[in-house]
Amino acid sequence: MACSLHVAWDDGLTGYNFGPEHPLNPVRVELTMALARELGVFDAPGISFIPVEPASDDLLKLVHDPGYIEAVKRAGRTLEPDEAHSLGTADNPVFPDMHDAASLVAGASVAAARAVWQGESEHAANIAGGLHHAMPGNAWGFCVYNDASLAIAWLLEQGAKRVAYVDVDVHHGDGVQAMFYDDPRVMTISLHESPLTLFPGTGRPSESGGPGAEGYSVNVALPAGTDDARWLRAFDAVVPPLLREFQPEVLVTQHGADAHALDPLANLMLSLDGQRRVYRELHELAKTTAGGRWVVLGGGGYELVQVVPRAWTHLLAEAAGGGVDPEAATPEEWRGLVRRRTGDVPPLYMTDGRTPRFTPFEAGFDPADPVDQAIQATRRAVFPSQGIDPSL
């Protein structure tokens, strides 16, 4: 069934560019949009594009310190590093007009949130967004401004009383968690590789919310090597029960594609087909728990050709309510674009050839399984605060 979807887009969103040697290359966004166009995703009924404007300073101040905003502007002019604000590091190099590029990404996520909150569309997406590591006063983990947090803060300013944020990036959504750690109006749920083996080294189950917000920060820390079946088992054991209990007015989701087995910066083992299954599950949860109000953001993902464009094209198609046949061939014109832009060999089909299945956690707990241990640790840390029995 087709869904109304507003896509926040401006060609300037590819200007968020740390340079050709940096892992976060905006070609992944360019190739995603091109693939989605070629496959007709944007031709579906109810799909439209919404204009994007940079987030103003006043808007950015909902989540970022004024001094930090000025530091970003200054670094984009002088190209001088600013150690106090983590600008000019290997992860966060300075680049010309950095503030303009980062504020445009932030503005696009707020535009998506606005479209959903004001009832202009059921769903809205900013595929260039999901920069979930940025902190109030410093850049962090390739992220200058935290557009995900800004979209949530904007919703709260409009009067939203319950916003849920689900983050399926392989890295912990630490910036979003930090900004709402003491706020029971926001439930943050992050499924990520264990902090024992991956940046940013946070996201333990014990990080479960500050005073008055206990049980509203949820972390599922999965061991390196977790595959589709075990990842989906963890998701199913934690996310649906919490969202059903919380009943958010809006669901905001971050879809870093870096949990894929081919990602060069991480160690989980999901397939494209497993990721597609996650998108379907989140779409269904938006319908059943949030009245259909769904804000979709991109995120990490550093296999720029084989993974990110196909994953996010499936994501956009899912949000549009139609989906893309996983057996479909990638269009020849798109393959030519891949060769011209990257020199890489493009994927031929929209699937990794997997059919992900999982056994529900409720079917039985294996105390020797590290994934089941992670699931149980999370459920014990947060379920009682939400009035849910962790043993069921």
Side-chain angles (χ1 to χ4, degrees):
M1 179 180 177
C3 302
S4 60
L5 170 68
H6 279 2
V7 180
W9 180 250
D10 183 288
D11 289 344
L13 290 168
T14 59
Y16 187 85
N17 189 349
F18 290 113
E21 304 305 317
H22 195 279
L24 192 76
N25 191 317
V27 74
R28 68 203 186 115
V29 176
E30 177 189 346
L31 293 178
T32 295
M33 295 298 288
L35 181 58
R37 286 192 184 98
E38 288 291 321
L39 287 172
V41 170
F42 301 137
D43 298 331
I47 311 306
S48 58
F49 289 85
I50 50 177
V52 175
E53 295 182 357
S56 68
D57 288 6
D58 284 344
L59 188 56
L60 290 169
K61 287 174 187 175
L62 290 178
V63 296
H64 287 294
D65 300 339
Y68 174 56
I69 298 168
E70 291 305 312
V72 174
K73 292 179 180 178
R74 185 169 56 248
R77 290 193 304 268
T78 67
L79 303 185
E80 294 292 329
D82 183 338
E83 184 176 343
H85 297 99
S86 301
L87 298 168
T89 65
D91 277 359
N92 308 296
V94 296
F95 61 92
D97 302 317
M98 175 186 288
H99 167 79
D100 297 337
S103 63
L104 188 65
V105 174
S109 292
V110 172
R114 183 183 296 113
V116 168
W117 182 251
Q118 295 181 348
E120 297 168 9
S121 64
E122 297 168 276
H123 313 326
N126 173 22
I127 209 68
L131 304 178
H132 60 167
H133 293 306
M135 294 293 175
N138 62 275
W140 190 236
F142 310 166
C143 304
V144 176
Y145 294 139
N146 197 317
D147 63 286
S149 291
L150 189 62
I152 295 168
W154 183 88
L155 288 166
L156 298 177
E157 284 284 301
Q158 305 312 301
K161 296 178 174 59
R162 295 179 312 283
V163 179
Y165 171 77
V166 179
D167 188 319
V168 300
D169 194 291
V170 78
H171 301 91
H172 176 227
D174 56 342
V176 183
Q177 174 179 288
M179 291 181 183
F180 300 106
Y181 199 68
D182 299 321
D183 193 336
R185 295 175 299 173
V186 181
M187 176 175 283
T188 63
I189 306 175
S190 179
L191 295 93
H192 47 266
E193 185 178 332
S194 169
L196 298 176
T197 54
L198 193 65
F199 175 92
T202 56
R204 292 168 174 80
S206 58
E207 299 167 32
S208 57
E214 296 90 347
Y216 288 89
S217 291
V218 182
N219 291 292
V220 187
L222 296 165
T226 299
D227 60 9
D228 285 336
R230 298 159 81 215
W231 195 102
L232 290 166
R233 176 177 169 91
F235 178 95
D236 183 69
V238 172
V239 180
L242 288 170
L243 292 184
R244 286 195 292 264
E245 182 64 30
F246 186 57
Q247 290 291 303
E249 293 170 271
V250 182
L251 176 62
V252 179
T253 56
Q254 195 269 19
H255 296 270
D258 40 12
H260 193 280
L262 294 181
D263 194 89
L265 300 188
N267 310 291
L268 297 191
M269 299 297 291
L270 272 67
S271 70
L272 186 71
D273 305 287
Q275 292 175 317
R276 184 166 47 85
R277 173 75 178 266
V278 175
Y279 308 154
R280 187 168 73 244
E281 296 292 338
L282 285 169
H283 189 183
E284 185 63 25
L285 286 166
K287 290 190 289 186
T288 59
T289 71
R293 290 178 290 273
W294 187 24
V295 178
V296 175
L297 306 176
Y302 309 99
E303 210 319 310
L304 308 175
V305 171
Q306 300 296 321
V307 176
V308 178
R310 293 189 299 161
W312 287 352
T313 293
H314 279 301
L315 173 62
L316 289 167
E318 178 62 43
V324 169
D325 181 358
E327 302 298 326
T330 55
E332 185 55 46
E333 185 170 337
W334 182 79
R335 296 178 199 170
L337 176 65
V338 169
R339 297 185 190 99
R340 292 192 302 274
R341 294 290 288 114
T342 70
D344 290 346
V345 177
L348 300 181
Y349 296 96
M350 293 296 293
T351 179
D352 285 343
R354 309 286 176 80
T355 306
R357 297 184 178 87
F358 69 93
T359 302
F361 186 71
E362 285 72 15
F365 166 61
D366 180 355
D369 185 332
V371 171
D372 277 12
Q373 292 170 10
I375 293 169
Q376 190 71 314
T378 300
R379 287 166 61 116
R380 286 175 174 164
V382 298
F383 274 27
S385 299
Q386 298 298 329
I388 307 172
D389 186 344
S391 65
L392 296 178

